[in-house]
Amino acid sequence: PITPNELFYCVTKNVVDPRVDVDLWHLEVGGLVKNAATWRFDDLLGFEMKEQETTLMCISNGLDAGLISNAVWKGFPLRDVLDRAVPLSGAARVRFHGVDNYTDTIPLEKVLEPTTLLAYEMNGAELPDRHGYPLRLIVPGYFGEKHVKWLTRIEVTDANAKGFYEAQ
């Protein structure tokens, strides 16, 4: 079943999570791309939106740990943004940067799947602060650590790119 936003599990590396002012926020897209760009929130609303139900689960979830929840996310396919950026040869992974300096990577081929979303709504409401307002990554089939919250930069990289936990 759909998990209400206030009951949706939340894991963070932060002592205090960021509160983002959308009027100051922007999303940078760069790295191994032909067309680097910076997007304001209102600019991103010009992409074709979609809704999809996706379950998130923490990699640390154990039997009856409760670190699994299901929501209807609204956003747009990440590949639509990358199509405009035009990844260069040698591009193999994409590193995502959150406002809180959290990073993680996923393979470029997973980024280009139509179900990999940049989400700005959760269960019909504005994305809650604790779940990554104003924009977060949704990557069906991957553990929650890959669903970077408070997204502020997307960096197309080579095969050697590592994220926060991968680098440890």
Side-chain angles (χ1 to χ4, degrees):
I2 301 300
T3 308
N5 291 355
E6 63 275 6
L7 298 177
F8 202 95
Y9 91 91
C10 187
V11 174
T12 181
K13 72 169 188 62
N14 305 309
V15 174
V16 177
D17 286 333
R19 293 185 67 89
V20 178
D21 181 343
V22 73
D23 294 327
L24 301 175
W25 177 90
H26 61 274
L27 176 67
E28 297 175 24
V29 179
L32 297 175
V33 297
K34 181 178 178 183
N35 304 314
T38 300
W39 300 84
R40 307 291 302 166
F41 186 78
D42 287 343
D43 299 330
L44 294 170
L45 297 179
F47 286 99
E48 186 174 332
M49 300 302 155
K50 70 180 283 186
E51 286 187 345
Q52 73 185 33
E53 186 176 325
T54 301
T55 301
L56 273 64
M57 183 174 79
C58 182
I59 197 167
S60 299
N61 193 43
L63 188 60
D64 294 328
L67 299 177
I68 184 170
S69 300
N70 192 36
V72 175
W73 305 94
K74 183 177 181 180
F76 49 93
L78 175 52
R79 72 179 182 182
D80 293 353
V81 172
L82 284 191
D83 283 349
R84 292 193 187 180
V86 186
L88 300 173
S89 65
R93 296 186 68 77
V94 180
R95 181 183 291 130
F96 300 91
H97 300 260
V99 170
D100 62 345
N101 293 318
Y102 181 78
T103 63
D104 214 324
T105 64
I106 61 174
L108 181 59
E109 56 270 11
K110 183 66 174 174
V111 166
L112 299 177
E113 291 180 4
T115 56
T116 301
L117 296 184
L118 296 178
Y120 64 89
E121 281 188 12
M122 180 179 179
N123 294 330
E126 181 177 86
L127 199 60
D129 287 323
R130 67 188 304 241
H131 292 291
Y133 176 84
L135 195 69
R136 77 170 297 158
L137 183 63
I138 298 296
V139 191
Y142 279 35
F143 284 111
E145 68 185 22
K146 298 291 186 182
H147 300 242
V148 177
K149 298 184 280 188
W150 310 289
L151 194 59
T152 191
R153 187 159 52 111
I154 298 171
E155 177 187 7
V156 178
T157 66
D158 62 22
N160 298 317
K162 296 194 182 322
F164 181 82
Y165 290 114
E166 296 162 325
Q168 292 184 22

